[in-house]
Amino acid sequence: SSPKVSTTEPPLSLGGSAERITLPPLDESDALVRKLVQALSESPAIMAWLPTNGHIRNFTVVVTNIADGVTPAKHLGVLRPSARFRIVNGAGGSYADPRSYGRYTAIADAVASVDPVGAARLYATLKPRIEEAHRELGSAEVSFDTTLARAIVALLKTPILENPIPLKPKGIGYAYA
């Protein structure tokens, strides 16, 4: 019998065509990342993120957290909403005040302002350093593309809750019931 030949193509790598540039080492990549990200959007939220350090490592750990079902909030402090979470008390208990959702408008606007084709090209361009940061997290057996795909699926599975959203006391604050 003849050996089997695979007729399936390997999966395509996520991202677009990479820019032909020389990537600096991971520890020296922030200046390049700032320059490339600035070309994608002028959003105030994105501009607030740019002065921080460790962009590639931060992006990698945030995506990994999302893929693993862990909140990445501690890695996104610069994007934390400045307005307080609000509650309303009504029949049957405490509920999330729908006015609180406006706290995330700037972040949603920032995401919407990014050119998707440019973002894909940026991802492809930085992918060697992103993979390096991913390996540092102990994820050498899986490509970052796989982790990114899991994060996207997790976000797509996030339920859309209808008002009123009941809350329960948790510590000094509240949690979704």
Side-chain angles (χ1 to χ4, degrees):
S1 101
S2 63
K4 291 193 174 203
V5 176
S6 173
T7 57
T8 60
E9 305 225 356
L12 290 175
S13 178
L14 295 180
S17 298
E19 289 188 40
R20 295 183 181 272
I21 59 175
T22 301
L23 291 178
L26 184 57
D27 288 336
E28 300 168 19
S29 63
D30 283 337
L32 175 64
V33 172
R34 285 185 193 104
K35 177 182 170 191
L36 296 174
V37 170
Q38 278 182 312
L40 293 180
S41 172
E42 294 179 1
S43 157
I46 291 174
M47 293 302 117
W49 175 74
L50 287 179
T52 63
N53 295 314
H55 294 302
I56 291 176
R57 285 186 176 101
N58 184 266
F59 169 78
T60 305
V61 75
V62 165
V63 171
T64 303
N65 282 172
I66 293 168
D68 293 341
V70 175
T71 178
K74 69 180 177 183
H75 304 290
L76 297 172
V78 71
L79 299 177
R80 181 174 287 125
S82 57
R84 288 186 17 208
F85 180 76
R86 299 168 75 165
I87 64 164
V88 292
N89 292 307
S94 299
Y95 300 90
D97 186 333
R99 293 177 292 176
S100 289
Y101 308 145
R103 302 177 328 139
Y104 297 98
T105 299
I107 296 169
D109 288 347
V111 171
S113 77
V114 174
D115 168 45
V117 173
R121 185 174 45 254
L122 175 64
Y123 175 68
T125 301
L126 298 177
K127 191 179 287 189
R129 297 300 172 259
I130 293 170
E131 289 289 0
E132 184 180 339
H134 194 236
R135 285 190 301 275
E136 286 180 358
L137 292 174
S139 302
E141 71 284 349
V142 174
S143 77
F144 186 76
D145 279 356
T146 301
T147 301
L148 179 59
R150 286 190 315 111
I152 291 168
V153 169
L155 291 173
L156 291 172
K157 286 183 175 181
T158 302
I160 298 173
L161 303 175
E162 300 296 326
N163 286 323
I165 301 171
L167 302 172
K168 62 183 178 184
K170 180 177 182 183
I172 60 170
Y174 292 89
Y176 292 106

